[in-house]
Amino acid sequence: MKTPAKIWEISGRMLLVWGVLALISCPACSRPEDSGKSLERPAAAGPPCYGDTLITGSIGEPSNLIPILASDSSSHEVAGLIYNGLVKYDKDLKLVGDLAESFKVSKSGLVITFHLRKGVRWHDGQPFTAADVLFTYKTMVDPHTPTAYAEDFLQVERAEATDPYTFRVTYKKPFAPALASWGISILPGHLLEGRDIMKSPLARHPVGTGPFIFKEWKAGEKVVLTYNPDYFEGRPYIDRYIYRIIPDSATMFMELKAGGIDNMGLSPLQYARQTEYRKFKENFNKYRYPAFAYTYLGFNLEDEKFRDRRVRQAISYAINRGELIEGVLLGLGQEATGPYKPGTWACNPNVKQYPYNPVKARELLQEAGWRDTNGDGILDKGGIPFRFTIITNQGNDTRARTAEIIQRRLKEVGIDVKIRIIEWAAFIKEFIEKKAFEATILGWTISQDPDIYDVWHSSKTRPGELNFISYRNTEVDALLEKGRRTFDQEERRKIYWRIQEILAEEAPYVFLYVPDALPVVQARVKGIEPAAAGITYNLIKWYVPKTEQRYKMNDSNR
Amino acid sequence: MATYILKRLFLMIPIFLGITVISFAVLHLAPGAPTEMQTMMQPKVSLEARARLNAIYGLDKPLPIQYFDWLKRLVRFDFGRSFSSDNRPVQEKIMERLPVTLFINILSLVLILVVAIPIGILSAVHRYSLFDKATTLFVFIGFAAPTFWLALLLMLVFGVHLDWLPISGIKSLNYEYLGFWGKTVDLGRHLILPVLLSAFGGLAGLSRYMRSNMLEVIRQDYILTARAKGLPERVVIYKHALRNALLPVVTVLGLSIPGLIGGSVIFESIFAIPGMGQLFYGAVMARDYPVVMGELVIGAVLTLIGNLVADISYALVDPRIRVR
């Protein structure tokens, strides 16, 4: 929800479980940035070779490296390199086996059977078995586990390890997001069983099965990982991965330029204006692809002014999205037409669109009974002028600027808009959760699974839940329920396409834009292949040619 | 004198309790509980999951009970466990960060003393000279320039363009493999900018304070007498005037210790220094009550000790204020 500063750096595995945190890309538009490409060193950098260190910059520090206990993206980012799930999303965002060699969903959709990889070892040398998976499941549903993510696992009726390499789960009702939920990091049962997970040393010293082994964590400073020589997908080429914590983004950008870190996510301003010079282009490769997120203007549908669909449509017409993208994102984004990322299978490209059209906006407002009777330039109805306040959270300049541009455009059609910017916690607690707002600018991250039940179902309108605009539509409710129970992708496509048609027609949100993720990586790092899943999905294949390696690591440093 | 100190010590207990009650209340008045900060606006988190987390952290109990639970633990010198998902003891989190912050603050305090006092003396003695005017200008810049802006400017010049100094952090990546002198130099290079920055604001204030004290003292009759008796100017200034002018300055220094720790928040965030300020900022943003309270208690204790030391030194110097 909060747009993470480094939206791109989340590996496919974590993204799968923590879809809410994750943002990535689409196949067609993933490419190194054209201008950067021309200055990139020749591809003939030689074959991949081992060695060197990759230093990543992060605003936040991980809190707990037992990932089910953490809810911040930094923890999941680091833990994603240390642990594996049973399944993961591959570079084209298809679900494939990870610790599971294969998996099967029964015809009824109620039973999922995972056949696990043999010969996988934990970083402490113990073998990985189905008992670990069963342990992880039991931990998730244990009411004493302080995890925020139990929901998907509470749907399970029975979980069993039928033999050391087979794990089977049975659901009460068919639940389409179930398979993806098994991308959760599997924990080492032999180190945690029978102990208080909240006090486990694993929180600071994790033991996983993943491509990197935890080495050290200096609080407030860095987390250091080293390569796993026995990783089941092959040893990573990068010897050492350092996750540096730099709380200030301006400082981080300077560290990047000075060589203190190798990669970070750029802001649109940094991408478009502050990195467009020769030396930078020689030393870094910039990437650009749509993030898995969108920004919207949401109306409080319990507010009398916004009950009439024509009013919401009129406002949609009155806003110039192209202008927002140019002005706020410096062109680094695209228009949003619904709650899915353009180009993905769940996204319906043929829904009703609202191109900028102030004339049509005025017509619709007039139809809805809003006229300027007293000649002050503001529309009114029954003696009440059309005024409302857009609220958004502090600390997100793009949202504040978006609000200002919208304010000007709505003024042109006779609507007077005020803007209020509020500190995050107060904003959510006092305004959003209590539904004490007229309209708000916010963003959602888009998860891999198209299930959007929590945001749009009419049962989710209680205070503190996510359908805070109070959207209620019986057809959408029925479709959302059906979508969760259907496994067939073609069937689901029809369901979610229909939902988008309804949302586009009803306009409870003005879908504004999908921003681009803008990662930058030091040019000595090779082997980066942007794909649907972003760039970090193949981190273990990244390498630095021998001649360009900067950091030596002898065995005593391991 | 002993009764005076004893009285002051006993008086500290209710003051300390008052500080904690107010801090606790204000902290809980701010919207957003730690569990909410972790879970809000996340589709995979149900309301039930939130309630479950609240129960685990004891946030479902009434506020006074939460306070007394906290106080009971504090009496045993137990600050509790952090509410962030790492759930570590607060002492451990603070102790691993306290040394860096103290170290930088002591360095900057020394720097302030070494630079501000001579500046103050010189500009008082040579009042309205070019030096005095130049330092006045410098001091006003010190007051006015925002620390973060100055920090970024210095980083850009010395870190990016000249490449003389490291930009952020406290140690280089290869720190563990350096020898003793290598480590010292590495640490020193990392400390130059943060210490300079954290000293800058204080420098301005203290040199002004020193200047006005000195001016005050120079006007006194006994200085006039000393001069009339034909004592050399050096002796008049540095032996007689300076000693008296320094007394209030030392008291002010005692009081400025907690303030310095507060100032750490800004430069520790900008320079990515793993100290108390950074921890405090993160804890406030995450509504991590035990950590915030832990830091506030340490701040309160430092303030009280600073006050006590100031009072005692006053009492030592000036018998008139000793209370019987």
Side-chain angles (χ1 to χ4, degrees), chain A residues 504-544:
Chain A
E505 183 63 37
E506 295 266 297
Y509 280 2
V510 181
F511 294 98
L512 297 172
Y513 50 75
V514 174
D516 282 336
L518 304 168
V520 57
V521 187
Q522 231 285 336
R524 74 177 198 285
V525 182
K526 316 288 180 199
I528 301 170
E529 287 167 16
I535 61 169
T536 50
Y537 70 92
N538 73 338
L539 191 77
I540 64 168
K541 302 279 183 224
W542 291 15
Y543 68 96
V544 180

CSV table of all heavy atoms in Angstrom, one decimal, chain A residues 504-544:
chain,number,residue,atom,x,y,z
A,504,ALA,N,-15.4,0.0,-14.4
A,504,ALA,CA,-15.1,1.1,-15.3
A,504,ALA,C,-16.4,2.0,-15.5
A,504,ALA,O,-16.4,3.2,-15.5
A,504,ALA,CB,-14.6,0.6,-16.6
A,505,GLU,N,-17.5,1.3,-15.6
A,505,GLU,CA,-18.8,1.9,-15.8
A,505,GLU,C,-19.2,2.7,-14.6
A,505,GLU,O,-19.7,3.8,-14.7
A,505,GLU,CB,-19.8,0.8,-16.2
A,505,GLU,CG,-21.2,1.4,-16.6
A,505,GLU,CD,-21.2,2.2,-17.8
A,505,GLU,OE1,-20.4,1.9,-18.8
A,505,GLU,OE2,-21.9,3.2,-17.9
A,506,GLU,N,-19.0,2.1,-13.4
A,506,GLU,CA,-19.5,2.7,-12.2
A,506,GLU,C,-18.6,3.8,-11.7
A,506,GLU,O,-19.1,4.6,-10.9
A,506,GLU,CB,-19.6,1.6,-11.1
A,506,GLU,CG,-20.6,0.5,-11.4
A,506,GLU,CD,-22.0,0.8,-10.8
A,506,GLU,OE1,-22.0,0.9,-9.5
A,506,GLU,OE2,-22.9,1.1,-11.5
A,507,ALA,N,-17.3,3.7,-12.0
A,507,ALA,CA,-16.4,4.7,-11.6
A,507,ALA,C,-16.3,5.0,-10.1
A,507,ALA,O,-16.4,6.2,-9.7
A,507,ALA,CB,-16.5,6.0,-12.4
A,508,PRO,N,-16.3,4.0,-9.2
A,508,PRO,CA,-16.1,4.3,-7.8
A,508,PRO,C,-14.8,4.9,-7.5
A,508,PRO,O,-14.6,5.6,-6.5
A,508,PRO,CB,-16.3,3.0,-7.1
A,508,PRO,CG,-15.9,2.0,-8.2
A,508,PRO,CD,-16.3,2.6,-9.5
A,509,TYR,N,-13.8,4.6,-8.3
A,509,TYR,CA,-12.4,5.2,-8.2
A,509,TYR,C,-12.2,5.9,-9.6
A,509,TYR,O,-12.8,5.4,-10.6
A,509,TYR,CB,-11.4,4.1,-8.2
A,509,TYR,CG,-11.0,3.4,-6.9
A,509,TYR,CD1,-11.7,3.6,-5.7
A,509,TYR,CD2,-10.0,2.4,-6.9
A,509,TYR,CE1,-11.3,2.9,-4.6
A,509,TYR,CE2,-9.6,1.7,-5.8
A,509,TYR,CZ,-10.3,2.0,-4.6
A,509,TYR,OH,-10.0,1.3,-3.5
A,510,VAL,N,-11.4,6.9,-9.6
A,510,VAL,CA,-10.9,7.3,-10.9
A,510,VAL,C,-9.5,6.7,-10.9
A,510,VAL,O,-8.6,7.0,-10.1
A,510,VAL,CB,-10.7,8.9,-11.0
A,510,VAL,CG1,-10.1,9.3,-12.3
A,510,VAL,CG2,-12.0,9.5,-10.7
A,511,PHE,N,-9.3,5.7,-11.7
A,511,PHE,CA,-8.0,5.0,-11.8
A,511,PHE,C,-7.0,5.9,-12.5
A,511,PHE,O,-7.3,6.4,-13.7
A,511,PHE,CB,-8.1,3.7,-12.6
A,511,PHE,CG,-9.0,2.7,-11.9
A,511,PHE,CD1,-10.3,2.5,-12.2
A,511,PHE,CD2,-8.4,1.9,-10.9
A,511,PHE,CE1,-11.1,1.6,-11.6
A,511,PHE,CE2,-9.2,1.0,-10.2
A,511,PHE,CZ,-10.6,0.8,-10.5
A,512,LEU,N,-6.0,6.3,-11.9
A,512,LEU,CA,-5.1,7.4,-12.4
A,512,LEU,C,-3.9,6.9,-13.2
A,512,LEU,O,-3.9,7.0,-14.4
A,512,LEU,CB,-4.7,8.3,-11.3
A,512,LEU,CG,-5.8,9.0,-10.5
A,512,LEU,CD1,-5.2,9.8,-9.3
A,512,LEU,CD2,-6.5,10.0,-11.5
A,513,TYR,N,-3.0,6.3,-12.5
A,513,TYR,CA,-1.8,5.8,-13.3
A,513,TYR,C,-1.1,4.7,-12.6
A,513,TYR,O,-1.2,4.4,-11.4
A,513,TYR,CB,-0.8,7.0,-13.5
A,513,TYR,CG,-0.4,7.7,-12.2
A,513,TYR,CD1,0.4,7.2,-11.3
A,513,TYR,CD2,-1.0,9.0,-12.0
A,513,TYR,CE1,0.7,7.9,-10.1
A,513,TYR,CE2,-0.7,9.7,-10.9
A,513,TYR,CZ,0.2,9.2,-9.9
A,513,TYR,OH,0.5,9.9,-8.8
A,514,VAL,N,-0.3,4.0,-13.5
A,514,VAL,CA,0.6,2.9,-13.0
A,514,VAL,C,2.0,3.4,-13.1
A,514,VAL,O,2.5,3.7,-14.3
A,514,VAL,CB,0.4,1.6,-13.9
A,514,VAL,CG1,1.5,0.6,-13.5
A,514,VAL,CG2,-1.0,1.1,-13.8
A,515,PRO,N,2.7,3.7,-12.0
A,515,PRO,CA,4.1,4.2,-12.2
A,515,PRO,C,5.1,3.2,-12.6
A,515,PRO,O,4.8,2.0,-12.6
A,515,PRO,CB,4.4,4.6,-10.7
A,515,PRO,CG,3.6,3.7,-9.9
A,515,PRO,CD,2.3,3.4,-10.7
A,516,ASP,N,6.2,3.6,-13.1
A,516,ASP,CA,7.3,2.7,-13.5
A,516,ASP,C,8.2,2.4,-12.3
A,516,ASP,O,8.5,3.3,-11.5
A,516,ASP,CB,8.1,3.3,-14.6
A,516,ASP,CG,7.4,3.2,-16.0
A,516,ASP,OD1,6.5,2.3,-16.1
A,516,ASP,OD2,7.7,4.0,-16.9
A,517,ALA,N,8.7,1.2,-12.2
A,517,ALA,CA,9.8,0.9,-11.3
A,517,ALA,C,11.1,1.3,-12.0
A,517,ALA,O,11.2,1.1,-13.2
A,517,ALA,CB,9.8,-0.6,-11.0
A,518,LEU,N,12.0,1.9,-11.3
A,518,LEU,CA,13.2,2.5,-11.9
A,518,LEU,C,14.5,2.1,-11.2
A,518,LEU,O,15.2,2.9,-10.7
A,518,LEU,CB,13.0,4.0,-11.9
A,518,LEU,CG,11.8,4.6,-12.5
A,518,LEU,CD1,11.6,6.1,-12.1
A,518,LEU,CD2,11.8,4.5,-14.0
A,519,PRO,N,14.8,0.8,-11.3
A,519,PRO,CA,16.0,0.3,-10.7
A,519,PRO,C,17.3,0.7,-11.5
A,519,PRO,O,17.2,0.9,-12.7
A,519,PRO,CB,15.9,-1.2,-10.7
A,519,PRO,CG,15.0,-1.5,-11.8
A,519,PRO,CD,14.1,-0.3,-12.0
A,520,VAL,N,18.4,0.9,-10.8
A,520,VAL,CA,19.6,1.1,-11.4
A,520,VAL,C,20.7,0.2,-10.8
A,520,VAL,O,20.6,-0.1,-9.6
A,520,VAL,CB,20.0,2.6,-11.2
A,520,VAL,CG1,20.1,3.0,-9.8
A,520,VAL,CG2,21.3,3.0,-11.9
A,521,VAL,N,21.6,-0.3,-11.7
A,521,VAL,CA,22.6,-1.3,-11.2
A,521,VAL,C,23.9,-0.9,-11.8
A,521,VAL,O,24.0,-0.5,-12.9
A,521,VAL,CB,22.2,-2.8,-11.6
A,521,VAL,CG1,23.2,-3.7,-11.0
A,521,VAL,CG2,20.8,-3.1,-11.3
A,522,GLN,N,25.0,-1.0,-11.0
A,522,GLN,CA,26.3,-0.8,-11.4
A,522,GLN,C,26.6,-1.5,-12.7
A,522,GLN,O,26.3,-2.7,-12.8
A,522,GLN,CB,27.3,-1.2,-10.3
A,522,GLN,CG,28.3,-0.1,-9.9
A,522,GLN,CD,29.4,0.0,-10.9
A,522,GLN,OE1,29.7,-0.9,-11.6
A,522,GLN,NE2,30.0,1.2,-10.9
A,523,ALA,N,27.3,-0.9,-13.6
A,523,ALA,CA,27.5,-1.5,-14.9
A,523,ALA,C,28.4,-2.7,-14.9
A,523,ALA,O,28.4,-3.5,-15.8
A,523,ALA,CB,28.0,-0.5,-15.9
A,524,ARG,N,29.2,-2.9,-13.9
A,524,ARG,CA,30.1,-4.1,-13.9
A,524,ARG,C,29.3,-5.4,-13.7
A,524,ARG,O,29.8,-6.5,-14.0
A,524,ARG,CB,31.2,-4.0,-12.8
A,524,ARG,CG,30.7,-4.1,-11.4
A,524,ARG,CD,31.9,-4.0,-10.4
A,524,ARG,NE,31.6,-4.6,-9.1
A,524,ARG,CZ,30.8,-4.1,-8.2
A,524,ARG,NH1,30.3,-2.9,-8.4
A,524,ARG,NH2,30.6,-4.7,-7.1
A,525,VAL,N,28.1,-5.3,-13.2
A,525,VAL,CA,27.3,-6.4,-12.9
A,525,VAL,C,26.6,-6.9,-14.2
A,525,VAL,O,25.9,-6.1,-14.9
A,525,VAL,CB,26.2,-6.2,-11.8
A,525,VAL,CG1,25.4,-7.4,-11.6
A,525,VAL,CG2,26.8,-5.6,-10.6
A,526,LYS,N,26.8,-8.1,-14.6
A,526,LYS,CA,26.3,-8.6,-15.9
A,526,LYS,C,25.2,-9.7,-15.6
A,526,LYS,O,25.1,-10.1,-14.4
A,526,LYS,CB,27.4,-9.2,-16.8
A,526,LYS,CG,28.6,-8.4,-16.8
A,526,LYS,CD,28.5,-7.2,-17.7
A,526,LYS,CE,29.8,-6.4,-17.7
A,526,LYS,NZ,29.6,-5.0,-18.1
A,527,GLY,N,24.6,-10.1,-16.6
A,527,GLY,CA,23.6,-11.3,-16.5
A,527,GLY,C,22.2,-10.9,-16.0
A,527,GLY,O,21.4,-11.7,-15.7
A,528,ILE,N,22.0,-9.6,-16.1
A,528,ILE,CA,20.6,-9.1,-15.7
A,528,ILE,C,19.7,-9.2,-16.9
A,528,ILE,O,20.1,-8.7,-18.0
A,528,ILE,CB,20.7,-7.6,-15.2
A,528,ILE,CG1,21.6,-7.6,-14.0
A,528,ILE,CG2,19.3,-7.1,-14.9
A,528,ILE,CD1,21.9,-6.1,-13.5
A,529,GLU,N,18.6,-9.9,-16.8
A,529,GLU,CA,17.7,-10.1,-17.9
A,529,GLU,C,16.3,-9.6,-17.5
A,529,GLU,O,15.6,-10.4,-16.9
A,529,GLU,CB,17.7,-11.5,-18.4
A,529,GLU,CG,18.9,-11.9,-19.1
A,529,GLU,CD,19.0,-13.4,-19.2
A,529,GLU,OE1,18.0,-14.1,-19.1
A,529,GLU,OE2,20.2,-13.9,-19.6
A,530,PRO,N,16.0,-8.4,-17.8
A,530,PRO,CA,14.6,-7.9,-17.3
A,530,PRO,C,13.5,-8.8,-17.9
A,530,PRO,O,13.6,-9.2,-19.1
A,530,PRO,CB,14.6,-6.5,-17.9
A,530,PRO,CG,16.0,-6.1,-18.2
A,530,PRO,CD,16.7,-7.4,-18.5
A,531,ALA,N,12.6,-9.1,-17.1
A,531,ALA,CA,11.5,-10.0,-17.6
A,531,ALA,C,10.2,-9.5,-16.9
A,531,ALA,O,10.2,-8.5,-16.1
A,531,ALA,CB,11.8,-11.4,-17.3
A,532,ALA,N,9.2,-10.3,-17.0
A,532,ALA,CA,7.9,-9.9,-16.4
A,532,ALA,C,8.1,-9.8,-14.9
A,532,ALA,O,7.5,-8.9,-14.3
A,532,ALA,CB,6.9,-11.0,-16.7
A,533,ALA,N,9.0,-10.6,-14.3
A,533,ALA,CA,9.1,-10.5,-12.9
A,533,ALA,C,10.1,-9.5,-12.4
A,533,ALA,O,10.5,-9.5,-11.3
A,533,ALA,CB,9.6,-11.9,-12.4
A,534,GLY,N,10.5,-8.6,-13.3
A,534,GLY,CA,11.4,-7.5,-12.9
A,534,GLY,C,12.9,-7.9,-13.2
A,534,GLY,O,13.1,-8.5,-14.3
A,535,ILE,N,13.8,-7.5,-12.4
A,535,ILE,CA,15.2,-7.9,-12.7
A,535,ILE,C,15.8,-8.8,-11.6
A,535,ILE,O,16.7,-9.6,-11.9
A,535,ILE,CB,16.1,-6.7,-12.9
A,535,ILE,CG1,16.2,-5.8,-11.6
A,535,ILE,CG2,15.7,-5.8,-14.1
A,535,ILE,CD1,17.3,-4.8,-11.7
A,536,THR,N,15.3,-8.9,-10.4
A,536,THR,CA,16.0,-9.6,-9.4
A,536,THR,C,15.7,-11.1,-9.3
A,536,THR,O,16.2,-11.9,-8.6
A,536,THR,CB,15.8,-9.1,-8.0
A,536,THR,OG1,14.4,-8.9,-7.8
A,536,THR,CG2,16.5,-7.7,-7.8
A,537,TYR,N,14.7,-11.6,-10.2
A,537,TYR,CA,14.3,-13.0,-10.1
A,537,TYR,C,15.5,-13.9,-10.4
A,537,TYR,O,15.5,-15.0,-9.9
A,537,TYR,CB,13.2,-13.2,-11.1
A,537,TYR,CG,13.7,-13.2,-12.6
A,537,TYR,CD1,14.1,-14.3,-13.2
A,537,TYR,CD2,13.7,-11.9,-13.2
A,537,TYR,CE1,14.6,-14.2,-14.5
A,537,TYR,CE2,14.2,-11.9,-14.5
A,537,TYR,CZ,14.6,-13.0,-15.1
A,537,TYR,OH,15.2,-12.9,-16.4
A,538,ASN,N,16.5,-13.5,-11.2
A,538,ASN,CA,17.6,-14.3,-11.5
A,538,ASN,C,18.9,-13.8,-10.8
A,538,ASN,O,20.0,-13.9,-11.4
A,538,ASN,CB,17.8,-14.5,-13.0
A,538,ASN,CG,18.4,-13.2,-13.6
A,538,ASN,OD1,18.3,-12.1,-13.1
A,538,ASN,ND2,19.0,-13.4,-14.8
A,539,LEU,N,18.8,-13.3,-9.6
A,539,LEU,CA,19.9,-12.8,-8.9
A,539,LEU,C,21.1,-13.8,-8.9
A,539,LEU,O,22.3,-13.4,-8.9
A,539,LEU,CB,19.5,-12.4,-7.5
A,539,LEU,CG,20.5,-11.5,-6.8
A,539,LEU,CD1,20.5,-10.1,-7.3
A,539,LEU,CD2,20.3,-11.5,-5.3
A,540,ILE,N,20.8,-15.1,-8.8
A,540,ILE,CA,21.9,-16.0,-8.6
A,540,ILE,C,22.7,-16.1,-9.9
A,540,ILE,O,23.8,-16.7,-10.0
A,540,ILE,CB,21.4,-17.4,-8.2
A,540,ILE,CG1,20.5,-18.1,-9.2
A,540,ILE,CG2,20.7,-17.3,-6.8
A,540,ILE,CD1,20.2,-19.5,-8.9
A,541,LYS,N,22.1,-15.6,-11.0
A,541,LYS,CA,22.9,-15.7,-12.3
A,541,LYS,C,23.6,-14.4,-12.6
A,541,LYS,O,24.3,-14.3,-13.6
A,541,LYS,CB,21.9,-15.9,-13.5
A,541,LYS,CG,21.1,-17.2,-13.3
A,541,LYS,CD,21.9,-18.4,-13.8
A,541,LYS,CE,21.0,-19.6,-13.8
A,541,LYS,NZ,21.8,-20.8,-13.2
A,542,TRP,N,23.5,-13.4,-11.8
A,542,TRP,CA,24.2,-12.1,-11.9
A,542,TRP,C,25.7,-12.4,-11.7
A,542,TRP,O,26.0,-13.2,-10.8
A,542,TRP,CB,23.8,-11.1,-11.0
A,542,TRP,CG,22.4,-10.5,-11.2
A,542,TRP,CD1,21.4,-11.1,-12.0
A,542,TRP,CD2,21.8,-9.4,-10.7
A,542,TRP,NE1,20.3,-10.3,-12.0
A,542,TRP,CE2,20.5,-9.3,-11.2
A,542,TRP,CE3,22.2,-8.4,-9.8
A,542,TRP,CZ2,19.6,-8.2,-10.8
A,542,TRP,CZ3,21.4,-7.4,-9.4
A,542,TRP,CH2,20.1,-7.3,-9.9
A,543,TYR,N,26.6,-11.8,-12.4
A,543,TYR,CA,28.0,-12.0,-12.2
A,543,TYR,C,28.8,-10.8,-12.6
A,543,TYR,O,28.3,-9.9,-13.2
A,543,TYR,CB,28.5,-13.2,-13.0
A,543,TYR,CG,28.5,-13.0,-14.5
A,543,TYR,CD1,29.6,-12.5,-15.2
A,543,TYR,CD2,27.3,-13.1,-15.2
A,543,TYR,CE1,29.6,-12.3,-16.5
A,543,TYR,CE2,27.3,-12.9,-16.6
A,543,TYR,CZ,28.4,-12.5,-17.2
A,543,TYR,OH,28.4,-12.2,-18.6
A,544,VAL,N,30.0,-10.7,-12.1
A,544,VAL,CA,30.9,-9.7,-12.5
A,544,VAL,C,32.2,-10.3,-13.2
A,544,VAL,O,32.8,-11.2,-12.6
A,544,VAL,CB,31.4,-8.9,-11.2
A,544,VAL,CG1,32.3,-7.7,-11.6
A,544,VAL,CG2,30.1,-8.3,-10.5
